[in-house]
């Protein structure tokens, strides 16, 4: 599997505005240019992209750069271009789960927030995101650039036959209602478009509860249940399209 994405920067922040996992043959290696050719048109996307995964936010590094140091302090100069990214941490989990059912195809990765940074769930940041999303459709200026940071939830059509939600359990309707509305629009659109929707959830919370609270577990967000969530994701993809799967 190879992982590709487009990195942009604004106001000293790093954003991943698009990213794709390519499940090529065992010894196959493609370039970013070849990946772009596989998604260059609606026809090519329909042919090659098998599904979409929704995550909370990216934490990724371009191949050849240090994951432990800030990218702007390194000599990276390909902002706005498609580049190969390291397939590490949570990407490894999805690689292992999908490699058979998605062989020869591309899976698109979408993020609720494109800010490429760890631990962005601090209340001060979430308040900024929530305020931005309250005025997203207006002509008012948002704190973060709306086109770089956020998805056009009302109009976005996810690629492929399935949509796998794994943005975790951080969404709070009471504290951050506009983030909740944003996420719910993305979920509802996937369902209304007839996509095969899948996710994993804690069994005691019930499937209905997971949907109601938009809580779709991610292994890196819950260290105590990381192994159980990882195994549930693998089980979900044992068939295609993937299925909704509980864990204990």
């Amino acid at each position: 599997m190879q992982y590709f994405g487009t990195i942009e920067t604004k106001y000293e922040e790093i954003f991943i505005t698009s990213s794709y996992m390519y499940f090529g043959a065992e010894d196959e290696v493609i370039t970013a240019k070849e990946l772009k050719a596989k998604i260059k048109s609606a026809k090519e996307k329909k042919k090659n992209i098998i599904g979409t995964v929704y995550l909370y936010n990216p934490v990724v590094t371009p191949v050849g750069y240090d994951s432990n140091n800030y990218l702007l302090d390194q000599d990276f100069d390909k902002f706005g271009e498609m580049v190969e990214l390291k397939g590490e941490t949570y990407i490894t989990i999805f690689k292992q789960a999908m490699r058979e059912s998605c062989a020869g195809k591309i899976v698109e990765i979408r993020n609720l927030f494109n800010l490429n940074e760890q631990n962005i769930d601090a209340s001060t940041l979430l308040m900024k995101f929530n305020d931005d999303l309250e005025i997203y459709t207006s002509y008012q200026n948002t704190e973060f650039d709306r086109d770089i940071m956020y998805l056009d939830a009302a109009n976005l059509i996810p690629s492929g036959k399935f949509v796998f939600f794994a943005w975790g359990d951080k969404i709070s309707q009471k504290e951050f209602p506009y983030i909740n509305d944003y996420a719910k629009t993305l979920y509802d659109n996937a369902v209304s478009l007839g996509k095969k929707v899948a996710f994993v959830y804690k069994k005691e919370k019930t499937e209905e509860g997971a949907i109601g609270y938009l809580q779709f577990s991610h292994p890196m967000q819950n260290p105590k249940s990381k192994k159980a969530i990882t195994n549930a994701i693998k089980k979900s993809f044992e068939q295609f399209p993937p299925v909704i799967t509980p864990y204990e």
Side-chain angles (χ1 to χ4, degrees), residues 155-173:
N155 299 301
L156 178 63
I157 299 176
S159 302
K161 298 178 180 178
F162 72 85
V163 178
F164 190 88
F165 288 92
W167 56 44
D169 308 312
K170 298 181 178 182
I171 295 172
S172 170
Q173 182 179 15

Side-chain angles (χ1 to χ4, degrees), residues 50-205:
I50 199 170
T52 298
V53 174
Y54 278 107
L55 302 177
Y56 190 74
N57 77 292
V59 183
V60 298
T61 306
V63 168
Y65 292 83
D66 187 348
S67 302
N68 297 314
N69 286 310
Y70 190 40
L71 189 60
L72 290 181
D73 293 335
Q74 303 180 59
D75 61 350
F76 183 77
D77 61 358
K78 294 184 178 180
F79 293 107
E81 300 178 29
M82 181 76 72
V83 298
E84 187 168 359
L85 305 171
K86 293 182 181 180
E88 55 189 9
T89 61
Y90 60 87
I91 295 299
T92 300
I93 293 168
F94 288 101
K95 168 188 173 180
Q96 294 171 345
M98 299 176 178
R99 59 188 172 190
E100 292 185 14
S101 59
C102 299
K105 296 293 184 179
I106 296 168
V107 173
E108 183 168 13
I109 304 294
R110 295 282 193 174
N111 297 284
L112 277 180
F113 309 113
N114 288 332
L115 184 62
N116 186 46
E117 188 176 316
Q118 293 185 356
N119 305 318
I120 69 168
D121 55 333
S123 294
T124 51
L125 269 178
L126 291 178
M127 287 173 66
K128 292 179 180 179
F129 301 163
N130 193 68
D131 290 345
D132 272 0
L133 291 167
E134 180 181 6
I135 61 174
Y136 179 91
T137 58
S138 73
Y139 293 102
Q140 300 177 64
N141 291 328
T142 51
E143 175 93 9
F144 292 91
D145 185 291
R146 69 188 70 206
D147 296 323
I148 293 179
M149 176 63 168
Y150 306 106
L151 302 174
D152 183 1
N155 299 301
L156 178 63
I157 299 176
S159 302
K161 298 178 180 178
F162 72 85
V163 178
F164 190 88
F165 288 92
W167 56 44
D169 308 312
K170 298 181 178 182
I171 295 172
S172 170
Q173 182 179 15
K174 183 178 180 180
E175 290 184 88
F176 307 109
Y178 297 102
I179 293 176
N180 183 84
D181 290 348
Y182 170 63
K184 188 174 189 305
T185 299
L186 290 166
Y187 178 83
D188 288 347
N189 279 356
V191 173
S192 66
L193 288 167
K195 301 291 183 179
K196 175 63 176 178
V197 169
F199 54 84
V200 303
Y201 67 96
K202 192 170 182 63
K203 190 174 183 179
E204 67 183 35
K205 292 185 177 180

